[in-house]
Amino acid sequence: MSRTSEPLAVGRVVGDVVDIFTPTVKMTVTYNSNKQVANGYELMPAVIAAKPRVEIGGEDMRAAYTLIMTDPDAPSPSDPYLREHLHWMVTDIPGTTDVSFGKEVVSYEIPKPVVGIHRYVFILFKQRGRQTVKAPTSRDHFNTRRFAQENGLGLPVAAVYFNAQRETAARRR
């Protein structure tokens, strides 16, 4: 396993959401223009309320990518019977730009963890061509592996995740 995907294995993203892969594209996810997502870091719900900026460092402008944001711990980490819950999907993203130039097929849904610490995972796939990815039918019981297989996406080219939990009154002070 490559060093760059090791934190994904430790956080059980590899296994619960995706299979072992080697990252080949640089992806940065930033909330509120200054909170960059790093594997395993915790972000407060107030920080993640607005859609993040996602930049892709692919080499080929002709390439197209699909971004998926999912919660494998819905509704709670101890009983994730909705695994996975789809929070966001953007397809047909040009290779050397940010996600806003892609086609948003599932709008951004604000993460609202109710019980426990949830992992929110951003997974990037390289498409075989433009307009080849079909929108999913539901946000609940989403399966990243199955979706990738059904749409011919193969293994991810990048992934990053953060943790979040419900803010209590004491934590907001």
Side-chain angles (χ1 to χ4, degrees), residues 13 35 41 56 58 76-77 90 101 105 117 120-121 126 128 133 136-137 140 157-158 172:
V13 170
K35 293 282 187 192
Y41 282 37
I56 298 170
S76 77
V90 183
F101 290 98
V105 293
I117 299 171
Y120 294 94
V121 187
K126 186 172 184 179
R128 285 186 301 192
V133 176
T137 55
D140 287 333
V157 294
R172 283 190 213 123

Side-chain angles (χ1 to χ4, degrees), residues 29 31 45 47-54 67 69 86-90 104-112 120 122 139 162:
V29 180
Y31 279 96
V47 170
I48 56 179
K51 188 187 309 183
R53 177 177 174 87
V54 181
L67 175 74
M69 179 187 178
L86 180 63
H87 279 271
W88 192 29
M89 184 181 291
V90 183
E104 189 176 67
V105 293
V106 176
S107 62
Y108 183 77
E109 181 181 279
I110 300 168
K112 294 179 183 159
Y120 294 94
F122 293 90
R139 287 182 185 260
F162 67 91

Side-chain angles (χ1 to χ4, degrees), residues 68-169:
I68 294 170
M69 179 187 178
T70 184
D71 174 3
D73 301 316
S76 77
S78 60
D79 185 19
Y81 65 86
L82 295 177
R83 178 178 290 168
E84 303 161 33
H85 182 80
L86 180 63
H87 279 271
W88 192 29
M89 184 181 291
V90 183
T91 63
D92 298 328
I93 305 161
T96 56
T97 186
D98 72 61
V99 170
S100 64
F101 290 98
K103 178 182 171 190
E104 189 176 67
V105 293
V106 176
S107 62
Y108 183 77
E109 181 181 279
I110 300 168
K112 294 179 183 159
V114 179
V115 177
I117 299 171
H118 289 243
R119 296 166 293 164
Y120 294 94
V121 187
F122 293 90
I123 309 118
L124 187 69
F125 292 95
K126 186 172 184 179
Q127 296 174 208
R128 285 186 301 192
R130 294 196 187 278
Q131 300 176 354
T132 58
V133 176
K134 294 174 178 53
T137 55
S138 172
R139 287 182 185 260
D140 287 333
H141 305 288
F142 183 78
N143 184 301
T144 300
R145 281 187 192 90
R146 185 174 55 239
F147 183 82
Q149 185 178 17
E150 289 169 356
N151 286 280
L153 296 173
L155 290 173
V157 294
V160 66
Y161 80 100
F162 67 91
N163 295 320
Q165 61 185 310
R166 183 176 166 191
E167 280 186 87
T168 61

